[in-house]
Amino acid sequence: NPQVLEQAFAAANPGLQKQIARSPDRVVLVEEFLPQFAEGPGKILFVGVRAYTQGYPALLERDGAECWTSDIVPTSARWGNPGRHWTGDLLEVGEAFEPGEFRAVLCNGVFGFGVDGREMQASAFAAMAKVMAPGGLLLLGWNTDRTPDPLDAEAWRPLFEPAEMEGLPMRRKIEGTGLARTPAAQLSGGCDEP
């Protein structure tokens, strides 16, 4: 139940939000990945919002992009982008938005926190590919202690191909999160429909 998860997360430790915001994986996300995804116009979908992600839409919109946020937990909308937030399951994002609507999807920390097994991963890849423009970029981040490595499965291969952004490797493990290694991967793909 997403509501129960949200309440447990918030009650676990009052300083947890600040701790997560300062974790090495979040620092890399904010300082290295978000600035490159922010370059240029077009729509970006950021999946999974919490208090520590509240400033991300402004970073992504600094150069003219339009950032939409999404989370399955209704009460998380308060941390989403006002007027541009969708509450729903990532596996259903393809039904909420038009095919090819986004030039980029950032999905960091959702695999392992709701999208947990291979079947759900495959469904999530298909849903994200449906809303991405051809050649769009997907940034995927996950905790190695919470879910199998999504890139070890074949589900993403028909939909995406490895991609690198300037100065950033396609796949990277970020050490020192205090939880587990957090890999980040960049993939290119998207919907062939107009």
Side-chain angles (χ1 to χ4, degrees), residues 42-158:
K43 288 185 177 181
I44 298 170
L45 178 63
F46 188 90
V47 182
V49 296
R50 293 293 179 268
Y52 53 87
T53 68
Q54 194 168 9
Y56 294 2
L59 293 172
L60 290 166
E61 292 182 333
R62 69 167 196 203
D63 290 331
E66 179 181 305
C67 180
W68 281 76
T69 54
S70 171
D71 201 281
I72 194 169
V73 180
T75 57
S76 292
R78 67 183 178 260
W79 301 308
N81 202 6
R84 293 188 185 132
H85 181 83
W86 174 70
T87 298
D89 189 332
L90 173 60
L91 306 184
E92 298 171 4
V93 73
E95 306 309 314
F97 295 99
E98 294 295 320
E101 187 167 344
F102 296 98
R103 70 167 170 87
V105 174
L106 289 83
C107 182
N108 190 57
V110 176
F111 281 41
F113 287 89
V115 177
D116 298 323
R118 293 283 189 216
E119 188 174 308
M120 290 181 82
Q121 288 177 355
S123 296
F125 278 125
M128 291 185 290
K130 184 175 181 180
V131 299
M132 289 173 59
L137 285 174
L138 168 64
L139 175 68
L140 183 67
W142 66 95
N143 291 83
T144 57
D145 64 334
R146 298 196 55 97
T147 192
D149 185 333
L151 300 186
D152 284 347
E154 297 296 313
W156 66 275
R157 293 188 187 278

